[in-house]
Amino acid sequence: MSDFDDASVAARLREEIARQRLSRAGLAQSARLSVSTLEKALSGRRRFTLATIVRLEEALGASLRGSLAAEPAVSPPASMHAPEHMGSYSRPAVRWIEGEYLTLRASFGEDGAVYAYRTVIVWDDAKGHLVFSESDRLDAEFEQGGFVSMPHLSGHTYLMTSEEGQYRMIMLGRATREARMFGLLSTLQVGQGSQLVPVSCPVAFVPLEQIAEPVFGFVGEDAVRFAEYRTVLNTAMGDDFCRLRQ
C-alpha cells in the first residue's frame, strides 16, 4: 500500500503552489516534468506516480504525502478561523470558494480585448486563512499572490496583495448559482517611462472545471474564445456587480 492518494497529493500540491507563489510552468521545470503532466495530475486526469511526487517534493522543499485522516484527532490546524482583520471567517464556512478559477479582466493594452489567467484559492493551515496565487500569465513576473479577506459586513471577497506597503486588490461580489464571481480589480499600470498609474477594470472568476480546454493569455477579437470570454466578463458591469464612475 502506498502512503498517499491522488486527491490528497493534489490538494497539498495546490496549497504549496499558492503558499510559495509559484507558477506551474516554473514548478514543472524545477521538478523536471512537462507542464502537461503536472496539469493532468492536478486535474485528476492522470495518476501521480511515486517518481513524480518525489521530484515535486524536491522542487518544493515540502512533503506531499501522508493521509490527513491518519493524523491524530487531537492535532487540529493552528487555527480554524481567519484573523479579525480578514473577517474572522471559519474554514468550514469558506470551503466553497477553494479551487481553481479562470480569471478574466479587460486588457490594459487594447480596447475590448480580454486578458485570461489562472487563480488558485486555498486554505493555508500554517497561516490559518485563505490565500491565493496567480499563474499562466503572459507577464509571469507580475503574477500576484496574497491573502483573502471575507468580512460579513459587505458580503464581498477581497483578494489582497501586500508587498512592502504596496497594495493591489480584487473585490468580488457574492457568487452566482454557478459559483462564478464578478467584481473590480484595482492595481498599478506601467505608464510613460518608469511611471506607475492607478488603474481599475472589471474582473470575472469562473470555476475552471466549467471551461473546456481554457485558453490563457491575451484574447483579442480574432481569437476563438473571444466571444465567450467577453460575454462572461461583460456580466460584471451588465449585472451591476461593479460600477465605474468618472
Side-chain angles (χ1 to χ4, degrees):
M1 295 291 289
S2 63
D3 61 347
F4 67 87
D5 64 81
D6 291 312
S8 174
V9 170
R12 293 188 180 202
L13 180 54
R14 282 192 291 269
E15 182 176 335
E16 285 299 325
I17 289 172
R19 180 184 294 118
Q20 299 185 33
R21 301 184 182 182
L22 301 173
S23 70
R24 297 192 177 197
L27 175 58
Q29 183 177 9
S30 299
R32 307 184 305 283
L33 301 171
S34 70
V35 176
S36 175
T37 295
L38 181 60
E39 294 284 0
K40 289 178 180 178
L42 278 169
S43 65
R45 291 178 289 148
R46 179 171 183 159
R47 296 292 306 274
F48 282 97
T49 66
L50 181 58
T52 296
I53 293 175
V54 170
R55 289 183 180 184
L56 287 168
E57 289 177 334
E58 290 176 348
L60 292 166
S63 174
L64 301 174
R65 288 172 285 180
S67 172
L68 293 175
E71 296 178 0
V74 295
S75 301
S79 175
M80 290 291 286
H81 288 81
E84 185 175 354
H85 70 273
M86 294 183 195
S88 300
Y89 54 81
S90 68
R91 174 73 190 278
V94 298
R95 287 186 188 276
W96 64 270
I97 202 174
E98 293 186 71
E100 298 181 272
Y101 295 88
L102 170 68
T103 305
L104 306 174
R105 67 159 171 81
S107 168
F108 294 158
E110 182 176 322
D111 290 343
V114 178
Y115 194 76
Y117 53 95
R118 183 196 311 264
T119 301
V120 177
I121 300 176
V122 297
W123 183 274
D124 188 319
D125 284 324
K127 296 179 178 179
H129 59 75
L130 291 168
V131 297
F132 77 94
S133 64
E134 299 173 353
S135 61
D136 295 294
R137 286 181 53 160
L138 286 176
D139 53 348
E141 66 273 20
F142 295 112
E143 289 178 352
Q144 304 286 319
F147 65 88
V148 180
S149 177
M150 299 180 71
H152 295 291
L153 291 176
S154 69
H156 281 61
T157 298
Y158 302 79
L159 276 61
M160 304 292 299
T161 299
S162 174
E163 294 184 356
E164 299 181 355
Q166 181 171 286
Y167 288 86
R168 180 257 212 179
M169 179 180 71
I170 295 178
M171 186 188 307
L172 300 170
R174 296 182 185 276
T176 66
R177 285 188 225 175
E178 297 82 16
R180 299 183 175 190
M181 295 179 287
F182 302 90
L184 197 67
L185 178 151
S186 295
T187 186
L188 295 174
Q189 180 184 8
V190 177
Q192 296 181 355
S194 60
Q195 181 182 10
L196 296 175
V197 180
V199 62
S200 292
C201 67
V203 65
F205 276 54
V206 181
L208 201 59
E209 65 268 17
Q210 296 181 11
I211 306 296
E213 299 181 359
V215 173
F216 302 105
F218 176 81
V219 183
E221 293 184 3
D222 296 332
V224 175
R225 308 303 288 272
F226 174 75
E228 177 186 2
Y229 283 8
R230 189 72 248 182
T231 298
V232 172
L233 185 55
N234 285 345
T235 302
M237 293 188 65
D239 287 3
D240 203 28
F241 284 98
C242 64
R243 302 174 185 177
L244 295 176
R245 291 286 185 265
Q246 293 186 352

